[in-house]
């Protein structure tokens, strides 16, 4: 008997005949199906892991709105609405973080008010006192009587042109005449005078107007050769001046003078006189009987930006100095120079001990004067040497023509001088009173003077035993920026509900 073949049941394995020529194609097809299945399985596995993680996060998160995205918490339109709300707030929070980052890039630092400092931690300011006239008449009259006159010159003509020495001080009303400048040059050359020596002889020096000096209630010699307590000759944009506690040293080798006393009787008190130079002279734009008092850092040259107080004759002036100490945090100092907008000594090669912004600006202007006029004016500090190692020549009186012609160009000069990261700046307030306190005061200071109509008194002091302290810090650090990300989104969402 021939056995009959029964049809295969459902699910039974049914072999398929395959030709030998079709074996390579069949194997490739099987491999593709296997790889595709593995890829689909991996994607599904990843999707299920992400979905389960999200649902776990939604069930435990404290972020507002995540509760409505749990399993079976919402359906349909309500679920889509909550998804849109959360995505919108997430985008909004991301934009806020981006704006915060842009603020950090544009201005990474900000100034804050720190705790106050003691006055012993800041230097007592430098003081520069100047007379408004570079050449006074009574000295000019004595000068022409003893000098040799060049050919064709008379005493009256020389006396009339001597105020031309004041054109370097930037305070002349009239434009100089070349023939007058040449005549003064001839006079100085014939008598072996430099401009500095002529200014000292024709202008005001310290001994002419400073009479009595007191420090912290004790009298001291005004012109003693003391490291700090003593007046010395100096210069400024007003010409020849007199300075106290003035040590222009960019390298910072000399420590500034500090005080531990405050109040009117804890600073400098000076009795001065305006006789006989009051209203005498035609070499300056300011026709005044008084003096100009400038307050600045002891290491800085007195410039036009220095706080200025006018000392009037027959008046007692009280000048209150208000220092401000500014420093940077360690995070700011770690930033590049372009971001912190300040300079430390280590930014230079080789490094310098004490960088000063006024010294940098002064050097910038001085170099431009040297380049434009080819000489060094007497009222600016003399540099050691130029870049080629040669000293620049001193300006003659005729060179002041170049200085006057380029005056506004020098004033508009832009110098790339950033402030120092650690610095002390000064502001002043002043009170002026008549000579009346001596009738009521028992201070022996007032016994030193007869308080004539040509005398004046000024007091310079710090009124508080603490000074303001500012600190520059970063707007946000990397750690703070990362820590603010999720709390920022959380805060935005909290305000929405």
């Amino acid at each position: 008997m021939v056995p009959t073949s029964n049809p295969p049941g459902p699910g039974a394995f049914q072999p398929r005949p395959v030709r030998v020529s079709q074996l390579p194609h069949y194997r490739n097809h099987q491999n593709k199906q296997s790889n595709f299945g593995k890829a689909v399985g991996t994607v599904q596995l990843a999707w299920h892991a992400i979905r389960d993680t999200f649902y776990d996060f939604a069930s435990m998160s404290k972020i507002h709105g995540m509760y409505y995205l749990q399993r079976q918490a919402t359906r349909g339109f309500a679920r889509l609405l909550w998804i849109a709300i959360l995505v919108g707030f997430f985008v909004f929070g991301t934009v806020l973080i981006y704006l915060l980052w842009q603020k950090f890039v544009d201005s990474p630092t900000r100034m804050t008010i720190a705790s106050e400092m003691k006055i012993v931690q800041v230097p007592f300011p430098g003081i520069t006192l100047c007379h408004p006239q570079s050449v006074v008449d009574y000295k000019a009259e004595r000068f022409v009587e003893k000098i040799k006159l060049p050919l064709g010159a008379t005493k009256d003509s020389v006396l009339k042109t001597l105020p031309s020495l004041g054109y370097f001080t930037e305070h002349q009303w009239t434009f100089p005449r070349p023939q007058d400048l040449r005549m003064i040059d001839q006079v100085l050359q014939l008598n072996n005078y430099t401009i500095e020596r002529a200014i000292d002889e024709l202008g005001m020096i310290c001994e002419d107007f400073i009479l009595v000096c007191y420090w912290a209630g004790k009298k001291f010699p005004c012109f003693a050769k003391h490291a700090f307590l003593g007046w010395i000759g100096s210069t400024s944009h007003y010409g020849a001046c007199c300075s106290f506690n003035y040590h222009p040293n960019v390298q910072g080798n000399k420590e500034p003078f500090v005080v531990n006393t405050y109040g009117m009787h804890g600073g400098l008190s000076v009795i001065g006189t305006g006789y006989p130079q009051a209203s005498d002279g035609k070499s300056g734009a300011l026709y005044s009987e008084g003096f100009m008092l400038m307050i600045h850092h002891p290491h800085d040259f007195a410039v036009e930006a220095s706080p200025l107080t006018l000392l009037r004759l027959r008046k007692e002036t009280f000048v209150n100095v208000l220092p401000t100490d500014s420093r940077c945090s360690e995070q700011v100092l770690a930033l590049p120079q372009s971001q912190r907008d300040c300079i430390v000594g280590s930014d230079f090669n080789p490094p310098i001990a004490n960088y000063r912004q006024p010294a940098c600006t002064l050097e910038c202007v001085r170099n431009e004067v040297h380049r434009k006029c080819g000489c060094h004016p007497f009222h600016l500090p003399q540099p050691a040497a130029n870049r080629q190692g040669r000293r620049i020549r001193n300006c003659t009186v005729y060179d002041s023509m170049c200085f006057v012609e380029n005056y506004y160009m020098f004033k508009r000069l832009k110098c790339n001088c950033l402030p120092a990261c650690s610095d002390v700046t000064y502001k002043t307030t002043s009170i002026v009173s008549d000579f009346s306190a001596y009738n009521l005061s028992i201070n022996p200071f007032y016994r030193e003077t007869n308080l004539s109509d040509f005398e004046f008194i000024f007091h310079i002091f710090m009124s508080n035993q603490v000074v303001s302290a500012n600190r520059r810090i970063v707007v946000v650090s990397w750690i703070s920026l990362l820590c603010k990300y999720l709390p920022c989104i959380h805060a935005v969402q909290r305000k929405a509900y």
Side-chain angles (χ1 to χ4, degrees):
M1 270 182 79
V2 179
T4 60
S5 59
N6 296 325
F13 174 74
Q14 181 70 22
R16 288 181 56 188
V18 179
R19 296 179 180 178
V20 176
S21 60
Q22 293 179 337
L23 282 176
H25 175 74
Y26 178 76
R27 290 173 180 172
N28 292 336
H29 181 70
Q30 288 293 104
N31 292 335
K32 289 181 180 179
Q33 285 185 343
S34 177
N35 294 336
F36 179 76
K38 291 181 180 179
V40 171
T42 303
V43 172
Q44 289 179 347
L45 182 62
W47 164 249
H48 288 308
I50 294 174
R51 183 188 60 184
D52 294 341
T53 302
F54 173 79
Y55 285 141
D56 291 341
F57 175 75
S59 63
M60 295 182 295
S61 175
K62 300 299 182 180
I63 299 178
H64 294 282
M66 292 298 295
Y67 168 81
Y68 299 101
L69 298 185
Q70 299 182 78
R71 298 178 189 270
Q72 309 302 326
T74 54
R75 292 180 179 275
F77 176 77
R79 192 174 186 84
L80 291 177
L81 178 62
W82 280 107
I83 291 175
I85 292 174
L86 289 176
V87 171
F89 283 132
F90 181 85
V91 173
F92 187 38
T94 303
V95 172
L96 291 180
I97 296 299
Y98 174 76
L99 295 177
L100 182 63
W101 170 250
Q102 284 296 112
K103 182 180 180 181
F104 172 78
V105 173
D106 296 337
S107 180
T109 64
R110 60 189 175 94
M111 189 69 73
T112 62
I113 300 177
S115 59
E116 296 177 329
M117 300 174 57
K118 297 180 180 179
I119 60 173
V120 295
Q121 296 177 275
V122 298
F124 191 79
I127 304 165
T128 297
L129 191 61
C130 306
H131 190 267
Q133 301 296 321
S134 297
V135 178
V136 292
D137 290 347
Y138 80 93
K139 289 190 174 184
E141 293 173 357
R142 293 188 309 194
F143 180 75
V144 296
E145 293 295 334
K146 66 176 183 178
I147 62 172
K148 301 177 183 178
L149 300 179
L151 186 63
T154 62
K155 292 181 180 180
D156 291 338
S157 62
V158 172
L159 189 63
K160 183 179 179 180
T161 56
L162 276 178
S164 299
L165 288 169
Y167 280 108
F168 283 112
T169 63
E170 313 170 18
H171 291 280
Q172 286 289 343
W173 286 110
T174 60
F175 195 82
R177 298 196 311 168
Q179 57 271 28
D180 294 342
L181 302 181
R182 290 193 181 96
M183 176 185 290
I184 297 301
D185 273 334
Q186 293 176 2
V187 170
L188 298 183
Q189 184 177 4
L190 182 62
N191 293 274
N192 294 323
Y193 270 80
T194 62
I195 296 181
E196 293 86 347
R197 181 184 171 190
I199 290 292
D200 288 341
E201 191 162 336
L202 295 170
M204 301 301 302
I205 60 176
C206 301
E207 290 80 359
D208 289 337
F209 53 86
I210 296 179
L211 301 179
V212 181
C213 301
Y214 272 73
W215 175 260
K218 295 183 179 180
K219 186 178 180 180
F220 69 93
C222 296
F223 309 106
K225 293 183 179 180
H226 191 273
F228 304 106
L229 299 179
W231 291 88
I232 60 173
S234 62
T235 58
S236 73
H237 55 285
Y238 290 114
C241 301
C242 192
S243 295
F244 177 87
N245 191 31
Y246 175 54
H247 307 283
N249 191 340
V250 177
Q251 300 301 324
N253 295 326
K254 196 177 189 66
E255 290 296 329
F257 176 48
V258 298
V259 298
N260 58 0
T261 56
Y262 62 96
M264 189 189 74
H265 300 296
L268 177 69
S269 298
V270 175
I271 300 175
T273 181
Y275 180 82
Q277 60 270 5
S279 301
D280 188 8
K282 307 177 183 63
S283 59
L286 182 61
Y287 290 89
S288 171
E289 296 180 345
F291 292 79
M292 282 83 69
L293 176 69
M294 291 178 287
I295 302 296
H296 51 88
H297 193 278
H299 288 168
D300 290 344
F301 181 78
V303 295
E304 292 185 61
S306 303
L308 177 66
T309 302
L310 182 62
L311 303 180
R312 300 160 55 188
L313 302 186
R314 301 177 298 277
K315 299 292 182 179
E316 186 171 10
T317 306
F318 302 85
V319 182
N320 181 20
V321 180
L322 305 172
T324 300
D325 182 88
S326 302
R327 299 185 185 181
C328 295
S329 67
E330 294 296 332
Q331 291 179 328
V332 173
L333 296 177
L335 294 173
Q337 177 183 325
S338 58
Q339 289 187 316
R340 55 177 145 90
D341 288 334
C342 65
I343 293 181
V344 294
S346 59
D347 291 333
F348 297 89
N349 188 18
I352 62 176
N354 186 14
Y355 167 79
R356 303 290 310 159
Q357 184 185 26
C360 174
T361 305
L362 177 65
E363 183 179 5
C364 173
V365 175
R366 181 174 58 196
N367 291 339
E368 186 63 20
V369 173
H370 292 176
R371 185 190 68 83
K372 195 70 177 179
C373 300
C375 64
H376 178 79
F378 81 95
H379 69 287
L380 295 180
Q382 179 72 46
N386 59 11
R387 293 182 178 180
Q388 290 75 26
R390 296 175 298 177
R391 291 182 64 88
I392 193 76
R393 71 175 180 88
N394 293 325
C395 290
T396 63
V397 179
Y398 186 77
D399 289 321
S400 61
M401 179 72 72
C402 171
F403 191 83
V404 173
E405 290 174 347
N406 296 279
Y407 174 80
Y408 292 104
M409 188 271 289
F410 294 146
K411 294 301 178 185
R412 292 192 298 264
L413 184 65
K414 294 183 179 180
C415 299
N416 187 22
C417 292
L418 295 176
C421 293
S422 179
D423 196 7
V424 178
T425 56
Y426 302 89
K427 294 182 180 180
T428 60
T429 60
S430 59
I431 299 176
V432 181
S433 66
D434 294 327
F435 283 162
S436 57
Y438 73 98
N439 291 325
L440 305 174
S441 176
I442 61 174
N443 192 336
F445 171 78
Y446 295 100
R447 301 175 186 173
E448 303 288 345
T449 176
N450 55 9
L451 300 177
S452 67
D453 290 341
F454 294 101
E455 291 183 343
F456 62 95
I457 299 174
F458 64 91
H459 309 271
I460 301 177
F461 56 91
M462 298 182 185
S463 60
N464 298 320
Q465 59 181 340
V466 293
V467 299
S468 301
N470 295 336
R471 295 294 178 265
R472 185 181 294 275
I473 62 175
V474 295
V475 173
V476 60
S477 63
W478 280 102
I479 297 177
S480 300
L481 184 65
L482 295 177
C483 292
K484 289 178 182 293
Y485 184 68
L486 286 179
C488 179
I489 299 176
H490 180 72
V492 170
Q493 294 174 342
R494 169 176 278 181
K495 291 181 180 178
Y497 302 108

